[in-house]
Amino acid sequence: MPELPEVETVRRTLAPRLLGRAIEEVEVFRPAQVRYPDPETFRRSLRGRRFAEPGRRGKYLLLHLEGGGVLICHLRMSGRLYLTPAGAPRAPHTHVVFHLDDGQELRYQDQRTFGGFHLPDPDGRGTPEGLLTLGPEPLDDAFTPAYLHSRLAGRRAPVKAVLLDQSAVAGLGNIYADESLFRAGIRPDRPAGEVTPEEAEALWAAIRAVLAEAIAHRGTTFSLYLDGEGRAGDYYRLLRVFGRQGQPCPRCGAAVVKSRVAGRGTHWCPQCQR
Ligand SMILES: [Zn+2]
């Protein structure tokens, strides 16, 4: 599933080729992928609009439009949003196509169909609930060790569950939560309230380092993710625990284990993480 580094990579790869382009037509092949408004209003509202600089919040891609308004895209499990020449063969599971004024198409492909688009009204109606309740961006100054500790304090839930809670911190998912906890030496199933301020600071630093490195490597392609130009991310080979169950821990050599924490398959080292 695309997380912050993958969505940021999509944003960065789309930005130079999307900026200033006008939408000439919109084709919706699977109406359920347009979450708001209805597909016909969606088409009519977007025809003739021009893309401004794209942004991102958490795992939401914010395709701002010149003159106001924003086309919001969430890739969920398997969404791909990429630019391609209009004549290129259309891949299976292509649900929405935006025809641009320079002969390119912005295509939305989604095998598992959990993702899609919101185009909120000018008064904000239609904005996805999850976007309104997002916590701070982990790479911004507002995300501090003290803030992270305050969100963990008093909680009996596993520390990993708090990292996955988008209202605590935006953009982390299963891959980067596991990698961050490994680097910080914290067991994913520890009750969050037992994490000390010193450990919270180590976790804060680990989250920022892991995300920055993953962005620099254009994200992780574990199964279906591709960037805005249809390329895979290569952070996969730098993963230390995620997907490496049974293989030696890169720090101590003990076998990485996989167990279920916070309802998710979780990878960790029983020696290095306490
Ligand atoms: Zn280890």
PDB file of all heavy atoms in Angstrom, residues 226-261:
ATOM      1  N   LEU A 226       3.420   2.044  -8.264  1.00  0.00           N
ATOM      2  CA  LEU A 226       4.292   2.658  -9.272  1.00  0.00           C
ATOM      3  C   LEU A 226       4.172   4.169  -9.131  1.00  0.00           C
ATOM      4  O   LEU A 226       3.156   4.674  -8.673  1.00  0.00           O
ATOM      5  CB  LEU A 226       3.863   2.264 -10.695  1.00  0.00           C
ATOM      6  CG  LEU A 226       3.984   0.794 -11.105  1.00  0.00           C
ATOM      7  CD1 LEU A 226       3.448   0.609 -12.524  1.00  0.00           C
ATOM      8  CD2 LEU A 226       5.438   0.318 -11.032  1.00  0.00           C
ATOM      9  N   ASP A 227       5.202   4.903  -9.551  1.00  0.00           N
ATOM     10  CA  ASP A 227       5.171   6.361  -9.407  1.00  0.00           C
ATOM     11  C   ASP A 227       4.399   7.015 -10.558  1.00  0.00           C
ATOM     12  O   ASP A 227       3.778   6.347 -11.385  1.00  0.00           O
ATOM     13  CB  ASP A 227       6.595   6.924  -9.247  1.00  0.00           C
ATOM     14  CG  ASP A 227       7.405   6.898 -10.542  1.00  0.00           C
ATOM     15  OD1 ASP A 227       6.826   6.698 -11.620  1.00  0.00           O
ATOM     16  OD2 ASP A 227       8.627   7.094 -10.457  1.00  0.00           O
ATOM     17  N   GLY A 228       4.447   8.362 -10.634  1.00  0.00           N
ATOM     18  CA  GLY A 228       3.657   9.103 -11.605  1.00  0.00           C
ATOM     19  C   GLY A 228       4.132   8.949 -13.034  1.00  0.00           C
ATOM     20  O   GLY A 228       3.482   9.432 -13.972  1.00  0.00           O
ATOM     21  N   GLU A 229       5.268   8.281 -13.226  1.00  0.00           N
ATOM     22  CA  GLU A 229       5.750   7.978 -14.573  1.00  0.00           C
ATOM     23  C   GLU A 229       5.707   6.473 -14.840  1.00  0.00           C
ATOM     24  O   GLU A 229       6.300   5.994 -15.807  1.00  0.00           O
ATOM     25  CB  GLU A 229       7.174   8.526 -14.751  1.00  0.00           C
ATOM     26  CG  GLU A 229       7.194  10.051 -14.684  1.00  0.00           C
ATOM     27  CD  GLU A 229       8.595  10.635 -14.672  1.00  0.00           C
ATOM     28  OE1 GLU A 229       9.491  10.018 -14.055  1.00  0.00           O
ATOM     29  OE2 GLU A 229       8.766  11.701 -15.276  1.00  0.00           O
ATOM     30  N   GLY A 230       5.062   5.728 -13.946  1.00  0.00           N
ATOM     31  CA  GLY A 230       4.907   4.286 -14.147  1.00  0.00           C
ATOM     32  C   GLY A 230       6.136   3.481 -13.773  1.00  0.00           C
ATOM     33  O   GLY A 230       6.296   2.340 -14.193  1.00  0.00           O
ATOM     34  N   ARG A 231       7.042   4.070 -12.951  1.00  0.00           N
ATOM     35  CA  ARG A 231       8.259   3.352 -12.545  1.00  0.00           C
ATOM     36  C   ARG A 231       8.122   2.812 -11.124  1.00  0.00           C
ATOM     37  O   ARG A 231       7.482   3.429 -10.276  1.00  0.00           O
ATOM     38  CB  ARG A 231       9.476   4.289 -12.586  1.00  0.00           C
ATOM     39  CG  ARG A 231       9.845   4.749 -13.978  1.00  0.00           C
ATOM     40  CD  ARG A 231      11.065   5.633 -13.925  1.00  0.00           C
ATOM     41  NE  ARG A 231      10.848   6.762 -13.021  1.00  0.00           N
ATOM     42  CZ  ARG A 231      11.789   7.640 -12.681  1.00  0.00           C
ATOM     43  NH1 ARG A 231      13.018   7.493 -13.123  1.00  0.00           N
ATOM     44  NH2 ARG A 231      11.512   8.641 -11.879  1.00  0.00           N
ATOM     45  N   ALA A 232       8.799   1.698 -10.839  1.00  0.00           N
ATOM     46  CA  ALA A 232       8.814   1.126  -9.493  1.00  0.00           C
ATOM     47  C   ALA A 232       9.764   1.921  -8.595  1.00  0.00           C
ATOM     48  O   ALA A 232      10.725   2.521  -9.071  1.00  0.00           O
ATOM     49  CB  ALA A 232       9.254  -0.332  -9.556  1.00  0.00           C
ATOM     50  N   GLY A 233       9.493   1.900  -7.274  1.00  0.00           N
ATOM     51  CA  GLY A 233      10.413   2.494  -6.305  1.00  0.00           C
ATOM     52  C   GLY A 233      11.465   1.478  -5.913  1.00  0.00           C
ATOM     53  O   GLY A 233      11.213   0.278  -5.944  1.00  0.00           O
ATOM     54  N   ASP A 234      12.658   1.916  -5.527  1.00  0.00           N
ATOM     55  CA  ASP A 234      13.708   0.931  -5.234  1.00  0.00           C
ATOM     56  C   ASP A 234      14.149   0.912  -3.776  1.00  0.00           C
ATOM     57  O   ASP A 234      15.216   0.413  -3.453  1.00  0.00           O
ATOM     58  CB  ASP A 234      14.904   1.108  -6.181  1.00  0.00           C
ATOM     59  CG  ASP A 234      15.614   2.423  -5.993  1.00  0.00           C
ATOM     60  OD1 ASP A 234      15.217   3.184  -5.080  1.00  0.00           O
ATOM     61  OD2 ASP A 234      16.557   2.696  -6.753  1.00  0.00           O
ATOM     62  N   TYR A 235      13.292   1.417  -2.855  1.00  0.00           N
ATOM     63  CA  TYR A 235      13.641   1.334  -1.435  1.00  0.00           C
ATOM     64  C   TYR A 235      13.507  -0.115  -0.931  1.00  0.00           C
ATOM     65  O   TYR A 235      14.026  -0.443   0.132  1.00  0.00           O
ATOM     66  CB  TYR A 235      12.755   2.275  -0.603  1.00  0.00           C
ATOM     67  CG  TYR A 235      13.247   2.471   0.813  1.00  0.00           C
ATOM     68  CD1 TYR A 235      14.452   3.124   1.062  1.00  0.00           C
ATOM     69  CD2 TYR A 235      12.527   2.007   1.904  1.00  0.00           C
ATOM     70  CE1 TYR A 235      14.923   3.297   2.350  1.00  0.00           C
ATOM     71  CE2 TYR A 235      12.985   2.174   3.203  1.00  0.00           C
ATOM     72  CZ  TYR A 235      14.187   2.819   3.417  1.00  0.00           C
ATOM     73  OH  TYR A 235      14.656   2.990   4.693  1.00  0.00           O
ATOM     74  N   TYR A 236      12.836  -0.953  -1.705  1.00  0.00           N
ATOM     75  CA  TYR A 236      12.585  -2.334  -1.303  1.00  0.00           C
ATOM     76  C   TYR A 236      13.841  -3.034  -0.794  1.00  0.00           C
ATOM     77  O   TYR A 236      13.826  -3.710   0.222  1.00  0.00           O
ATOM     78  CB  TYR A 236      12.009  -3.103  -2.506  1.00  0.00           C
ATOM     79  CG  TYR A 236      11.739  -4.550  -2.219  1.00  0.00           C
ATOM     80  CD1 TYR A 236      10.621  -4.929  -1.475  1.00  0.00           C
ATOM     81  CD2 TYR A 236      12.615  -5.539  -2.656  1.00  0.00           C
ATOM     82  CE1 TYR A 236      10.373  -6.254  -1.187  1.00  0.00           C
ATOM     83  CE2 TYR A 236      12.370  -6.869  -2.372  1.00  0.00           C
ATOM     84  CZ  TYR A 236      11.254  -7.220  -1.639  1.00  0.00           C
ATOM     85  OH  TYR A 236      11.019  -8.532  -1.355  1.00  0.00           O
ATOM     86  N   ARG A 237      14.954  -2.836  -1.515  1.00  0.00           N
ATOM     87  CA  ARG A 237      16.166  -3.576  -1.135  1.00  0.00           C
ATOM     88  C   ARG A 237      16.852  -2.988   0.104  1.00  0.00           C
ATOM     89  O   ARG A 237      17.783  -3.569   0.627  1.00  0.00           O
ATOM     90  CB  ARG A 237      17.143  -3.628  -2.323  1.00  0.00           C
ATOM     91  CG  ARG A 237      17.558  -2.286  -2.826  1.00  0.00           C
ATOM     92  CD  ARG A 237      18.202  -2.358  -4.212  1.00  0.00           C
ATOM     93  NE  ARG A 237      18.374  -1.023  -4.748  1.00  0.00           N
ATOM     94  CZ  ARG A 237      19.343  -0.206  -4.393  1.00  0.00           C
ATOM     95  NH1 ARG A 237      20.255  -0.590  -3.519  1.00  0.00           N
ATOM     96  NH2 ARG A 237      19.412   0.995  -4.915  1.00  0.00           N
ATOM     97  N   LEU A 238      16.385  -1.837   0.597  1.00  0.00           N
ATOM     98  CA  LEU A 238      16.945  -1.268   1.816  1.00  0.00           C
ATOM     99  C   LEU A 238      16.123  -1.574   3.058  1.00  0.00           C
ATOM    100  O   LEU A 238      16.498  -1.205   4.166  1.00  0.00           O
ATOM    101  CB  LEU A 238      17.093   0.260   1.676  1.00  0.00           C
ATOM    102  CG  LEU A 238      18.313   0.715   0.876  1.00  0.00           C
ATOM    103  CD1 LEU A 238      17.998   0.760  -0.608  1.00  0.00           C
ATOM    104  CD2 LEU A 238      18.787   2.072   1.338  1.00  0.00           C
ATOM    105  N   LEU A 239      15.000  -2.251   2.882  1.00  0.00           N
ATOM    106  CA  LEU A 239      14.172  -2.600   4.038  1.00  0.00           C
ATOM    107  C   LEU A 239      14.967  -3.514   4.974  1.00  0.00           C
ATOM    108  O   LEU A 239      15.656  -4.426   4.521  1.00  0.00           O
ATOM    109  CB  LEU A 239      12.893  -3.308   3.590  1.00  0.00           C
ATOM    110  CG  LEU A 239      11.922  -2.468   2.751  1.00  0.00           C
ATOM    111  CD1 LEU A 239      10.780  -3.353   2.241  1.00  0.00           C
ATOM    112  CD2 LEU A 239      11.381  -1.290   3.537  1.00  0.00           C
ATOM    113  N   ARG A 240      14.875  -3.253   6.294  1.00  0.00           N
ATOM    114  CA  ARG A 240      15.670  -4.042   7.248  1.00  0.00           C
ATOM    115  C   ARG A 240      14.871  -5.176   7.879  1.00  0.00           C
ATOM    116  O   ARG A 240      15.447  -6.214   8.204  1.00  0.00           O
ATOM    117  CB  ARG A 240      16.232  -3.113   8.327  1.00  0.00           C
ATOM    118  CG  ARG A 240      17.158  -2.078   7.709  1.00  0.00           C
ATOM    119  CD  ARG A 240      17.838  -1.206   8.734  1.00  0.00           C
ATOM    120  NE  ARG A 240      18.555  -0.113   8.083  1.00  0.00           N
ATOM    121  CZ  ARG A 240      19.191   0.846   8.729  1.00  0.00           C
ATOM    122  NH1 ARG A 240      19.206   0.846  10.050  1.00  0.00           N
ATOM    123  NH2 ARG A 240      19.807   1.797   8.069  1.00  0.00           N
ATOM    124  N   VAL A 241      13.564  -4.951   8.109  1.00  0.00           N
ATOM    125  CA  VAL A 241      12.744  -6.024   8.689  1.00  0.00           C
ATOM    126  C   VAL A 241      11.492  -6.323   7.868  1.00  0.00           C
ATOM    127  O   VAL A 241      11.063  -7.482   7.801  1.00  0.00           O
ATOM    128  CB  VAL A 241      12.325  -5.727  10.161  1.00  0.00           C
ATOM    129  CG1 VAL A 241      13.511  -5.931  11.099  1.00  0.00           C
ATOM    130  CG2 VAL A 241      11.724  -4.341  10.318  1.00  0.00           C
ATOM    131  N   PHE A 242      10.885  -5.318   7.251  1.00  0.00           N
ATOM    132  CA  PHE A 242       9.612  -5.540   6.565  1.00  0.00           C
ATOM    133  C   PHE A 242       9.782  -6.561   5.439  1.00  0.00           C
ATOM    134  O   PHE A 242      10.664  -6.415   4.581  1.00  0.00           O
ATOM    135  CB  PHE A 242       9.042  -4.237   6.002  1.00  0.00           C
ATOM    136  CG  PHE A 242       7.637  -4.426   5.468  1.00  0.00           C
ATOM    137  CD1 PHE A 242       6.546  -4.316   6.315  1.00  0.00           C
ATOM    138  CD2 PHE A 242       7.416  -4.767   4.143  1.00  0.00           C
ATOM    139  CE1 PHE A 242       5.257  -4.531   5.850  1.00  0.00           C
ATOM    140  CE2 PHE A 242       6.125  -4.987   3.671  1.00  0.00           C
ATOM    141  CZ  PHE A 242       5.053  -4.867   4.519  1.00  0.00           C
ATOM    142  N   GLY A 243       8.950  -7.621   5.469  1.00  0.00           N
ATOM    143  CA  GLY A 243       8.998  -8.649   4.433  1.00  0.00           C
ATOM    144  C   GLY A 243      10.194  -9.575   4.556  1.00  0.00           C
ATOM    145  O   GLY A 243      10.432 -10.392   3.671  1.00  0.00           O
ATOM    146  N   ARG A 244      10.969  -9.479   5.661  1.00  0.00           N
ATOM    147  CA  ARG A 244      12.209 -10.261   5.798  1.00  0.00           C
ATOM    148  C   ARG A 244      12.086 -11.323   6.894  1.00  0.00           C
ATOM    149  O   ARG A 244      13.099 -11.774   7.431  1.00  0.00           O
ATOM    150  CB  ARG A 244      13.387  -9.321   6.077  1.00  0.00           C
ATOM    151  CG  ARG A 244      13.626  -8.311   4.947  1.00  0.00           C
ATOM    152  CD  ARG A 244      14.932  -7.538   5.100  1.00  0.00           C
ATOM    153  NE  ARG A 244      16.076  -8.396   4.903  1.00  0.00           N
ATOM    154  CZ  ARG A 244      16.890  -8.836   5.855  1.00  0.00           C
ATOM    155  NH1 ARG A 244      16.678  -8.502   7.116  1.00  0.00           N
ATOM    156  NH2 ARG A 244      17.900  -9.612   5.573  1.00  0.00           N
ATOM    157  N   GLN A 245      10.860 -11.751   7.205  1.00  0.00           N
ATOM    158  CA  GLN A 245      10.689 -12.766   8.248  1.00  0.00           C
ATOM    159  C   GLN A 245      11.507 -14.016   7.910  1.00  0.00           C
ATOM    160  O   GLN A 245      11.536 -14.448   6.766  1.00  0.00           O
ATOM    161  CB  GLN A 245       9.203 -13.121   8.452  1.00  0.00           C
ATOM    162  CG  GLN A 245       8.487 -13.639   7.228  1.00  0.00           C
ATOM    163  CD  GLN A 245       7.901 -12.536   6.372  1.00  0.00           C
ATOM    164  OE1 GLN A 245       8.345 -11.388   6.439  1.00  0.00           O
ATOM    165  NE2 GLN A 245       6.923 -12.872   5.567  1.00  0.00           N
ATOM    166  N   GLY A 246      12.212 -14.546   8.947  1.00  0.00           N
ATOM    167  CA  GLY A 246      13.046 -15.740   8.759  1.00  0.00           C
ATOM    168  C   GLY A 246      14.456 -15.422   8.302  1.00  0.00           C
ATOM    169  O   GLY A 246      15.350 -16.267   8.381  1.00  0.00           O
ATOM    170  N   GLN A 247      14.692 -14.214   7.840  1.00  0.00           N
ATOM    171  CA  GLN A 247      16.043 -13.828   7.396  1.00  0.00           C
ATOM    172  C   GLN A 247      16.790 -13.172   8.560  1.00  0.00           C
ATOM    173  O   GLN A 247      16.187 -12.691   9.507  1.00  0.00           O
ATOM    174  CB  GLN A 247      15.941 -12.864   6.212  1.00  0.00           C
ATOM    175  CG  GLN A 247      15.297 -13.498   4.979  1.00  0.00           C
ATOM    176  CD  GLN A 247      15.198 -12.510   3.834  1.00  0.00           C
ATOM    177  OE1 GLN A 247      16.178 -11.855   3.495  1.00  0.00           O
ATOM    178  NE2 GLN A 247      14.013 -12.394   3.256  1.00  0.00           N
ATOM    179  N   PRO A 248      18.135 -13.141   8.498  1.00  0.00           N
ATOM    180  CA  PRO A 248      18.885 -12.579   9.633  1.00  0.00           C
ATOM    181  C   PRO A 248      18.674 -11.073   9.785  1.00  0.00           C
ATOM    182  O   PRO A 248      18.658 -10.339   8.802  1.00  0.00           O
ATOM    183  CB  PRO A 248      20.345 -12.899   9.293  1.00  0.00           C
ATOM    184  CG  PRO A 248      20.376 -13.218   7.836  1.00  0.00           C
ATOM    185  CD  PRO A 248      19.008 -13.708   7.467  1.00  0.00           C
ATOM    186  N   CYS A 249      18.528 -10.641  11.038  1.00  0.00           N
ATOM    187  CA  CYS A 249      18.473  -9.212  11.357  1.00  0.00           C
ATOM    188  C   CYS A 249      19.787  -8.577  10.906  1.00  0.00           C
ATOM    189  O   CYS A 249      20.865  -9.110  11.208  1.00  0.00           O
ATOM    190  CB  CYS A 249      18.306  -9.052  12.864  1.00  0.00           C
ATOM    191  SG  CYS A 249      18.674  -7.390  13.478  1.00  0.00           S
ATOM    192  N   PRO A 250      19.744  -7.443  10.196  1.00  0.00           N
ATOM    193  CA  PRO A 250      20.992  -6.836   9.717  1.00  0.00           C
ATOM    194  C   PRO A 250      21.886  -6.303  10.843  1.00  0.00           C
ATOM    195  O   PRO A 250      23.061  -6.067  10.637  1.00  0.00           O
ATOM    196  CB  PRO A 250      20.505  -5.693   8.814  1.00  0.00           C
ATOM    197  CG  PRO A 250      19.092  -5.447   9.196  1.00  0.00           C
ATOM    198  CD  PRO A 250      18.547  -6.718   9.753  1.00  0.00           C
ATOM    199  N   ARG A 251      21.335  -6.192  12.059  1.00  0.00           N
ATOM    200  CA  ARG A 251      22.136  -5.668  13.166  1.00  0.00           C
ATOM    201  C   ARG A 251      22.744  -6.793  14.001  1.00  0.00           C
ATOM    202  O   ARG A 251      23.922  -6.743  14.342  1.00  0.00           O
ATOM    203  CB  ARG A 251      21.270  -4.755  14.040  1.00  0.00           C
ATOM    204  CG  ARG A 251      22.065  -3.935  15.043  1.00  0.00           C
ATOM    205  CD  ARG A 251      21.132  -3.108  15.927  1.00  0.00           C
ATOM    206  NE  ARG A 251      20.473  -2.025  15.196  1.00  0.00           N
ATOM    207  CZ  ARG A 251      19.285  -1.519  15.514  1.00  0.00           C
ATOM    208  NH1 ARG A 251      18.603  -2.012  16.537  1.00  0.00           N
ATOM    209  NH2 ARG A 251      18.781  -0.541  14.820  1.00  0.00           N
ATOM    210  N   CYS A 252      21.946  -7.830  14.348  1.00  0.00           N
ATOM    211  CA  CYS A 252      22.427  -8.850  15.292  1.00  0.00           C
ATOM    212  C   CYS A 252      22.458 -10.259  14.711  1.00  0.00           C
ATOM    213  O   CYS A 252      23.015 -11.166  15.319  1.00  0.00           O
ATOM    214  CB  CYS A 252      21.574  -8.835  16.561  1.00  0.00           C
ATOM    215  SG  CYS A 252      19.967  -9.612  16.327  1.00  0.00           S
ATOM    216  N   GLY A 253      21.822 -10.483  13.573  1.00  0.00           N
ATOM    217  CA  GLY A 253      21.854 -11.804  12.953  1.00  0.00           C
ATOM    218  C   GLY A 253      20.736 -12.741  13.385  1.00  0.00           C
ATOM    219  O   GLY A 253      20.550 -13.794  12.781  1.00  0.00           O
ATOM    220  N   ALA A 254      19.982 -12.386  14.436  1.00  0.00           N
ATOM    221  CA  ALA A 254      18.844 -13.227  14.845  1.00  0.00           C
ATOM    222  C   ALA A 254      17.785 -13.207  13.740  1.00  0.00           C
ATOM    223  O   ALA A 254      17.736 -12.280  12.927  1.00  0.00           O
ATOM    224  CB  ALA A 254      18.246 -12.693  16.152  1.00  0.00           C
ATOM    225  N   ALA A 255      16.952 -14.249  13.709  1.00  0.00           N
ATOM    226  CA  ALA A 255      15.927 -14.316  12.658  1.00  0.00           C
ATOM    227  C   ALA A 255      14.838 -13.274  12.914  1.00  0.00           C
ATOM    228  O   ALA A 255      14.322 -13.155  14.029  1.00  0.00           O
ATOM    229  CB  ALA A 255      15.327 -15.710  12.612  1.00  0.00           C
ATOM    230  N   VAL A 256      14.515 -12.527  11.878  1.00  0.00           N
ATOM    231  CA  VAL A 256      13.405 -11.571  11.951  1.00  0.00           C
ATOM    232  C   VAL A 256      12.107 -12.370  12.063  1.00  0.00           C
ATOM    233  O   VAL A 256      11.935 -13.376  11.371  1.00  0.00           O
ATOM    234  CB  VAL A 256      13.388 -10.677  10.692  1.00  0.00           C
ATOM    235  CG1 VAL A 256      12.116  -9.839  10.620  1.00  0.00           C
ATOM    236  CG2 VAL A 256      14.630  -9.794  10.651  1.00  0.00           C
ATOM    237  N   VAL A 257      11.218 -11.953  12.963  1.00  0.00           N
ATOM    238  CA  VAL A 257       9.943 -12.657  13.123  1.00  0.00           C
ATOM    239  C   VAL A 257       8.799 -11.812  12.562  1.00  0.00           C
ATOM    240  O   VAL A 257       8.924 -10.597  12.410  1.00  0.00           O
ATOM    241  CB  VAL A 257       9.649 -13.012  14.612  1.00  0.00           C
ATOM    242  CG1 VAL A 257      10.706 -13.946  15.154  1.00  0.00           C
ATOM    243  CG2 VAL A 257       9.535 -11.763  15.455  1.00  0.00           C
ATOM    244  N   LYS A 258       7.718 -12.520  12.253  1.00  0.00           N
ATOM    245  CA  LYS A 258       6.501 -11.834  11.813  1.00  0.00           C
ATOM    246  C   LYS A 258       5.373 -12.272  12.721  1.00  0.00           C
ATOM    247  O   LYS A 258       5.162 -13.466  12.918  1.00  0.00           O
ATOM    248  CB  LYS A 258       6.185 -12.199  10.360  1.00  0.00           C
ATOM    249  CG  LYS A 258       4.946 -11.480   9.822  1.00  0.00           C
ATOM    250  CD  LYS A 258       4.703 -11.816   8.356  1.00  0.00           C
ATOM    251  CE  LYS A 258       3.481 -11.055   7.831  1.00  0.00           C
ATOM    252  NZ  LYS A 258       3.175 -11.421   6.438  1.00  0.00           N
ATOM    253  N   SER A 259       4.684 -11.305  13.312  1.00  0.00           N
ATOM    254  CA  SER A 259       3.547 -11.633  14.172  1.00  0.00           C
ATOM    255  C   SER A 259       2.445 -10.621  13.876  1.00  0.00           C
ATOM    256  O   SER A 259       2.620  -9.711  13.060  1.00  0.00           O
ATOM    257  CB  SER A 259       3.952 -11.595  15.647  1.00  0.00           C
ATOM    258  OG  SER A 259       4.390 -10.298  16.009  1.00  0.00           O
ATOM    259  N   ARG A 260       1.303 -10.789  14.543  1.00  0.00           N
ATOM    260  CA  ARG A 260       0.181  -9.899  14.278  1.00  0.00           C
ATOM    261  C   ARG A 260       0.107  -8.855  15.389  1.00  0.00           C
ATOM    262  O   ARG A 260      -0.032  -9.190  16.570  1.00  0.00           O
ATOM    263  CB  ARG A 260      -1.117 -10.706  14.209  1.00  0.00           C
ATOM    264  CG  ARG A 260      -2.175 -10.004  13.403  1.00  0.00           C
ATOM    265  CD  ARG A 260      -3.061 -11.003  12.648  1.00  0.00           C
ATOM    266  NE  ARG A 260      -3.977 -10.277  11.778  1.00  0.00           N
ATOM    267  CZ  ARG A 260      -3.690  -9.956  10.518  1.00  0.00           C
ATOM    268  NH1 ARG A 260      -2.544 -10.318   9.991  1.00  0.00           N
ATOM    269  NH2 ARG A 260      -4.554  -9.267   9.793  1.00  0.00           N
ATOM    270  N   VAL A 261       0.249  -7.583  15.029  1.00  0.00           N
ATOM    271  CA  VAL A 261       0.159  -6.488  15.994  1.00  0.00           C
ATOM    272  C   VAL A 261      -0.744  -5.430  15.385  1.00  0.00           C
ATOM    273  O   VAL A 261      -0.596  -5.092  14.204  1.00  0.00           O
ATOM    274  CB  VAL A 261       1.554  -5.869  16.291  1.00  0.00           C
ATOM    275  CG1 VAL A 261       1.436  -4.696  17.267  1.00  0.00           C
ATOM    276  CG2 VAL A 261       2.520  -6.912  16.836  1.00  0.00           C
TER     277      VAL A 261
END
